[in-house]
Amino acid sequence: MKAAVKQIFKFKKKGQHASKKESAQPKSRNMNDAKSPTKNSTRAENVAPMTIKDLLKPSPTFQETPQNGRVRLFIEKLRLCCVMFDWSKDGEQQSQIDSRGIEVKRQLLLELVDFVGKSKAVFSEHVVVEIMKMVRINLFRNLPPKVHQNMIDPEEEEPVFEVAWPHLQIVYEFFLRFIVSGDLEVRLMRKFITIDFVNNLLELFDSEDPRERDYLKTILHRVYAKFMMLRAHIRKSINTTFYNFIYETERHNGVAELLEILGSIINGFALPLKAEHKQFFKTALIPMHKVKPLHVFHRQLSYCVTQFVDKDHTLATEAILGLLKFWPVLNSSKELLFLNELEEVLELTQPEEFEMIFKPLFKRIGKAIGSPHFQIAERALFFWHNEYISSLIADYRKEILPIIYPALHINSQNHWNQTVSTLTLNVLKIFVDIDSHLVEQCLKIFDADVTKNEAKKKHRKEAWDRILDSV
């Protein structure tokens, strides 16, 4: 009897214990759901997409809405702005509904920009999910076919403008204000500003619209500054873009903007420079001088090169030898760009680096001085107007003057351009004031070489005359 009672009590305890477990299981499941990071994004994806009919329904403004309902209204307007339109149709081909929808969406986007600029502490995870969804839908798209076959300078030729810019501009402005907001938590945004997001941004840099590239430049720079875990990937992606541009396509509309971002990044590099940064300087920035459309982005490229040399003066030899390697021979406008950049690099070159490269350097400068193109000769002679470069030349005059003296002498005697002749005489006067004996030696060597060359020409002519007479 006692044994039977004990078994009954054991059975009751087991039943109670099992019922407690079952009642506890749903609670633990709900807690896990609350902690799940993908719950808000899944909820956003499950919402039915808005249509143009929803867009054309009257929507209250933020001023008309109570404070506690504005976040909900903000989310609703974000979803309405996910309605997309076909901009390939002209205004006459668009229906009245589409035209009204385009204008209503533009007004909604302006309201969102104003709300983000004035409101604070509204960026919960649920709100950020909706923001990023709207930004992705509106911005990340296939770029239209290129209108220009080659890269163009927007200041010289008429640029191509994006037809959807009335909406795109406001979306870019909205996202820029959002990303720079002080109320935005970086820890939260790491879930959304990912490597894929950055890759999509970089693809848009090939847009032919300079206004879009300008917004992208500002946004990517802000992302680089704010999200440290993405910095290495952004640098690597820019490197890859440059490699493809240099060695494969020689066509990318966003090179100038990417170089501007890079110039700011280089300015913040810690010293001593890492090996990967020096490698990028040698394998990407220097070879970029050889591409045909250099004039489109040379100002930004030159700034990046000088930033590197300013950070590490030992890179001056790499920069100068790289310029000499890719020096243009037949393109005078490109040669002027090289001469301008060469002066900027020489201003940052230390005497020990200058000593290593002055011989090949002044062989090239001597050819530029003797160029029949007056702008090239004039630009090369302007190097002596730079006090620092002139002092370096003076220190190594015994090796430099014999290299460039033939070009100086010929220019001073019979160059067709009066300005070049005057500048040449000024340079010769500088050398005479420093070391007149050296100038006299160079003149004697030059005269001896001229006499020798004339004797060779005479001997060659006589030999040909004898051959012709024998025939």
Side-chain angles (χ1 to χ4, degrees):
M1 185 71 179
K2 288 181 180 180
V5 171
K6 284 181 181 179
Q7 286 180 354
I8 290 171
F9 276 113
K10 283 181 182 179
F11 181 78
K12 284 183 178 181
K13 285 180 180 179
K14 284 182 180 179
Q16 290 174 359
H17 188 62
S19 63
K20 284 180 182 179
K21 280 187 177 179
E22 289 174 2
S23 62
Q25 282 176 356
K27 290 181 181 178
S28 63
R29 214 178 286 125
N30 290 337
M31 288 169 67
N32 290 335
D33 289 345
K35 291 179 181 178
S36 173
T38 59
K39 184 182 177 184
N40 288 323
S41 58
T42 306
R43 188 190 304 166
E45 290 173 0
N46 290 336
V47 174
M50 295 287 188
T51 63
I52 193 168
K53 291 182 180 179
D54 300 316
L55 184 64
L56 294 176
K57 291 177 183 177
S59 176
T61 63
F62 288 106
Q63 288 77 13
E64 298 170 349
T65 307
Q67 190 70 33
N68 59 358
R70 289 183 180 178
V71 174
R72 186 171 65 253
L73 180 63
F74 179 62
I75 293 173
E76 182 184 337
K77 288 180 184 289
L78 284 169
R79 290 173 179 168
L80 287 171
C81 288
C82 292
V83 178
M84 302 301 291
F85 296 92
D86 183 6
W87 290 86
S88 61
K89 298 178 181 178
D90 296 333
E92 297 177 356
Q93 294 177 329
Q94 286 179 343
S95 64
Q96 289 186 349
I97 294 176
D98 284 346
S99 300
R100 280 181 56 206
I102 286 171
E103 180 57 29
V104 169
K105 180 177 175 179
R106 195 179 74 84
Q107 293 299 327
L108 286 176
L109 287 168
L110 290 171
E111 288 183 37
L112 293 177
V113 171
D114 187 60
F115 183 75
V116 167
K118 293 179 179 178
S119 302
K120 293 185 178 180
V122 298
F123 303 130
S124 64
E125 184 174 352
H126 181 47
V127 173
V128 172
V129 167
E130 298 293 342
I131 289 173
M132 297 305 295
K133 180 183 176 184
M134 188 275 285
V135 168
R136 283 196 305 270
I137 289 174
N138 280 274
L139 297 186
F140 297 159
R141 65 204 188 280
N142 292 325
L143 294 174
K146 300 290 186 293
V147 174
H148 295 288
Q149 295 299 320
N150 300 312
M151 291 174 64
I152 65 163
D153 188 346
E155 296 178 359
E156 296 179 2
E157 297 186 46
E158 189 67 28
V160 177
F161 295 123
E162 175 65 51
V163 290
W165 188 245
H167 285 177
L168 286 175
Q169 180 185 12
I170 309 173
V171 176
Y172 275 119
E173 184 64 30
F174 168 81
F175 185 59
L176 180 58
R177 293 194 184 191
F178 167 70
I179 207 73
V180 301
S181 173
D183 301 316
L184 193 62
E185 291 186 14
V186 176
R187 187 180 301 175
L188 171 63
M189 288 303 298
R190 286 176 182 172
K191 300 176 185 178
F192 306 99
I193 307 297
T194 60
I195 288 174
D196 287 340
F197 185 87
V198 169
N199 290 341
N200 287 326
L201 273 183
L202 286 167
E203 287 179 8
L204 293 174
F205 271 90
D206 202 19
S207 169
E208 288 191 284
D209 194 331
R211 303 168 299 179
E212 181 170 15
R213 299 197 303 269
D214 195 54
Y215 265 110
L216 287 165
K217 175 186 68 178
T218 308
I219 289 170
L220 186 62
H221 189 254
R222 296 291 184 179
V223 169
Y224 185 90
K226 209 161 191 174
F227 301 93
M228 293 185 68
M229 69 284 186
L230 291 173
R231 289 183 179 181
H233 176 74
I234 291 173
R235 290 197 304 269
K236 186 177 179 181
S237 299
I238 292 175
N239 295 0
T240 304
T241 302
F242 287 167
Y243 292 148
N244 289 334
F245 170 68
I246 296 165
Y247 300 108
E248 292 186 15
T249 63
E250 287 199 1
R251 168 69 191 266
H252 193 285
N253 293 307
V255 171
E257 287 78 13
L258 290 173
L259 283 168
E260 279 192 49
I261 297 171
L262 198 62
S264 179
I265 292 172
I266 295 165
N267 195 30
F269 281 164
L271 295 177
L273 291 177
K274 294 180 180 178
E276 65 167 296
H277 302 328
K278 293 182 180 181
Q279 183 70 14
F280 169 71
F281 175 79
K282 296 173 186 177
T283 58
L285 288 187
I286 298 302
M288 201 175 284
H289 289 83
K290 73 176 184 176
V291 299
K292 290 180 181 178
L294 177 67
H295 65 282
V296 178
F297 55 85
H298 180 262
R299 180 176 58 83
Q300 294 85 352
L301 176 60
S302 178
Y303 177 76
C304 289
V305 171
T306 52
Q307 283 289 302
F308 262 111
V309 176
D310 193 28
K311 287 278 182 182
D312 186 351
H313 62 83
T314 61
L315 294 175
T317 54
E318 294 282 350
I320 293 171
L321 292 174
L323 288 173
L324 296 177
K325 179 181 179 181
F326 299 114
W327 197 274
V329 178
L330 300 176
N331 190 332
S332 56
S333 60
K334 196 172 179 181
E335 189 169 1
L336 286 171
L337 296 177
F338 273 57
L339 287 166
N340 291 333
E341 184 175 352
L342 185 59
E343 182 176 359
E344 293 177 3
V345 175
L346 282 172
E347 284 181 341
L348 301 169
T349 304
Q350 300 301 312
E352 52 269 25
E353 275 76 41
F354 183 77
E355 185 178 3
M356 297 166 63
I357 48 85
F358 71 81
K359 288 183 179 179
L361 171 62
F362 279 89
K363 284 180 181 177
R364 175 53 63 186
I365 291 176
K367 290 179 181 178
I369 291 171
S371 172
H373 195 295
F374 80 97
Q375 287 181 323
I376 294 172
E378 187 179 68
R379 186 65 190 85
L381 290 165
F382 275 150
F383 279 21
W384 276 265
H385 289 190
N386 187 301
E387 291 184 7
Y388 179 69
I389 297 174
S390 184
S391 67
L392 287 175
I393 295 170
D395 291 340
Y396 295 92
R397 62 186 178 276
K398 291 182 179 179
E399 292 86 3
I400 291 174
L401 185 57
I403 298 172
I404 63 172
Y405 185 82
L408 292 173
H409 184 87
I410 293 169
N411 274 7
S412 65
Q413 297 296 318
N414 55 8
H415 198 282
W416 66 271
N417 185 272
Q418 185 59 43
T419 305
V420 173
S421 297
T422 305
L423 288 170
T424 304
L425 290 171
N426 291 338
V427 171
L428 283 171
K429 187 176 181 302
I430 291 171
F431 280 111
V432 169
D433 292 340
I434 297 171
D435 193 340
S436 59
H437 180 65
L438 178 63
V439 176
E440 290 175 3
Q441 283 183 335
C442 291
L443 176 58
K444 289 177 182 178
I445 294 170
F446 176 77
D447 288 339
D449 288 340
V450 169
T451 305
K452 193 176 181 180
N453 289 333
E454 287 177 355
K456 283 184 178 179
K457 286 181 182 178
K458 185 178 179 181
H459 178 70
R460 191 180 300 116
K461 186 177 182 303
E462 290 173 353
W464 277 108
D465 288 341
R466 286 195 299 271
I467 293 170
L468 292 172
D469 291 340
S470 64
V471 173

